[in-house]
Amino acid sequence: MAGSDRPMNLRVDHALGRDVTVSAGDLPLFTYTYRPDTVLLESPKPYLHPIRTLAGDVVSLFRPHDHVWHKGIAWSLPHVGEHNFWGGPTYVHGSFYVQLENNGSAVHREMTDLSVAAGRADVAHRLDWISQDGQAVIDEHRVLSATVLDGTSWMLTFETAMTNVSGATLDIGSPTTKGRENAGYGGLFWRGPRSFTGGTVQSPAGTGADDLRGTRADWFAFRGRHDETGRSSTVVMVDDVDNPHHPPQWFTRSEEFACLCPAPFFSEELALAVGERVTFRYAVLVASGDHGDDGTAALADQARSTLAWMRTASPVGRVAA
């Protein structure tokens, strides 16, 4: 059934203690696994997968063999003080990647909202970020909201408020801030399907691929094609104007695999003092089809406008409530 023919009413299904699925009519848009069974080596954390367009095509990848800690869309940070909340080995300058005993976990504590109203589905919860040796590092409140924009696209907003409860200043960075050139990943990270490899990366400056990595912009998009159906899909990510270090440098790949990440700590660390809170907000627009250069820029404008409206309708402060 075409996306434009689907009913647009949203539904939330909760598998208690495990995950939440948000659907548009009979089509699951995404499943948010908030209490995963991830092994410690992969830094357990909540993730969104599978993520689908309104045409039913899956635009996320779970636990790829090349980077098993990549899981759909996840809030993943590789360098939080001495802790790795990304997964796998840690970049150590002069030694490349080393497996350390520092793989932390972002652990679900309690659900604070699970509702559908006025055409929007909200999922909110509190998390405890715990070090590998069991110490409290960060207290987080996270809010995810989904809304259908039209017959071809829907949008997710991701909001987080993180408070340092570790007892010491946390320097949040990336492999680049630790010495590895142009590897500033960390933040809201999307891993795309295998068939998107070689797809088109687009920013306000134009189109490209891996050559756009490290450039600054308030939005990036990825345009790819699916195996089996041959259809195309587009994923647009927008960084909120109030985010630290806005506009961010972006970590992106296309030639090896598909990914997007507005990386706020790409080449500049953020020092989070004891008791200090930092907030971030993002929009992710998922669209059926390849809309071309101008059409993709229009999608980004639509996502940016909707994000600005949601900021007014539900200020980011709600994540700290």
Side-chain angles (χ1 to χ4, degrees), residues 101 119 169 247 257 285:
E101 293 186 358
T169 297
F257 54 78
L285 186 148

Side-chain angles (χ1 to χ4, degrees), residues 10-315:
L10 293 178
R11 187 180 79 244
V12 171
D13 296 298
H14 188 192
L16 290 173
R18 169 67 181 176
D19 60 48
V20 173
T21 297
V22 175
S23 302
D26 62 348
L27 174 71
L29 296 179
F30 66 87
T31 295
Y32 179 59
T33 299
Y34 62 83
R35 185 173 282 154
D37 55 5
T38 307
V39 298
L40 184 60
L41 190 68
E42 297 170 20
S43 293
K45 65 186 70 66
Y47 59 84
L48 294 99
H49 175 82
I51 304 167
R52 293 182 175 87
T53 68
L54 288 172
D57 293 311
V58 175
V59 292
S60 59
L61 189 63
F62 176 77
R63 208 170 178 272
H65 63 77
D66 50 73
H67 296 78
V68 293
W69 43 88
H70 291 180
K71 296 176 172 68
I73 291 178
W75 182 242
S76 302
L77 303 179
H79 293 274
V80 180
E82 62 185 16
H83 311 290
N84 176 347
F85 289 97
W86 176 269
T90 297
Y91 179 77
V92 178
H93 195 57
S95 300
F96 204 52
Y97 284 91
V98 180
Q99 186 58 58
L100 305 175
E101 293 186 358
N102 69 340
N103 289 107
S105 305
V107 181
H108 168 78
R109 185 198 312 167
E110 62 176 343
M111 196 69 65
T112 59
D113 187 21
L114 191 59
S115 60
V116 178
R120 190 180 79 199
D122 289 326
V123 182
H125 65 136
R126 293 190 180 278
L127 304 98
D128 298 309
W129 290 42
I130 308 297
S131 67
Q132 184 164 330
D133 62 3
Q135 302 303 307
V137 180
I138 286 174
D139 175 274
E140 182 193 3
H141 191 204
R142 180 181 301 185
V143 180
L144 288 76
S145 300
T147 184
V148 175
L149 301 178
D150 52 42
T152 61
S153 60
W154 65 274
M155 196 177 91
L156 171 81
T157 57
F158 178 97
E159 305 171 69
T160 178
M162 303 192 306
T163 302
N164 178 2
V165 294
S166 70
T169 297
L170 293 170
D171 293 320
I172 307 176
S174 72
T176 292
T177 66
K178 301 300 181 183
R180 187 184 177 198
E181 185 178 355
N182 209 23
Y185 55 80
L188 193 65
F189 187 87
W190 166 77
R191 176 69 186 260
R194 288 282 181 192
S195 64
F196 276 31
T197 303
T200 300
V201 179
Q202 183 173 341
S203 78
T207 59
D210 290 25
D211 55 306
L212 293 178
R213 187 187 314 143
T215 59
R216 290 189 181 274
D218 62 348
W219 65 268
F220 258 53
F222 201 106
R223 296 150 53 188
R225 291 187 67 189
H226 299 275
D227 290 332
E228 298 186 19
T229 67
R231 289 192 292 250
S232 297
S233 297
T234 303
V235 174
V236 182
M237 300 182 76
V238 178
D239 189 83
D240 190 82
V241 295
D242 291 332
N243 286 348
H245 300 164
H246 175 85
Q249 292 174 271
W250 287 73
F251 185 86
T252 186
R253 288 187 185 274
S254 173
E255 295 170 8
E256 184 178 348
F257 54 78
C259 73
L260 287 176
C261 175
F265 323 109
F266 192 107
S267 58
E268 182 181 358
E269 290 186 336
L270 185 149
L272 192 64
V274 176
E276 185 178 1
R277 185 178 70 218
V278 63
T279 62
F280 292 91
R281 181 199 290 259
Y282 301 93
V284 181
L285 186 148
V286 179
S288 305
D290 186 325
H291 298 254
D293 294 357
D294 293 341
T296 301
L299 290 176
D301 287 340
Q302 184 180 24
R304 186 164 42 198
S305 297
T306 305
L307 185 64
W309 174 83
M310 291 190 73
R311 186 190 314 117
T312 302
S314 54

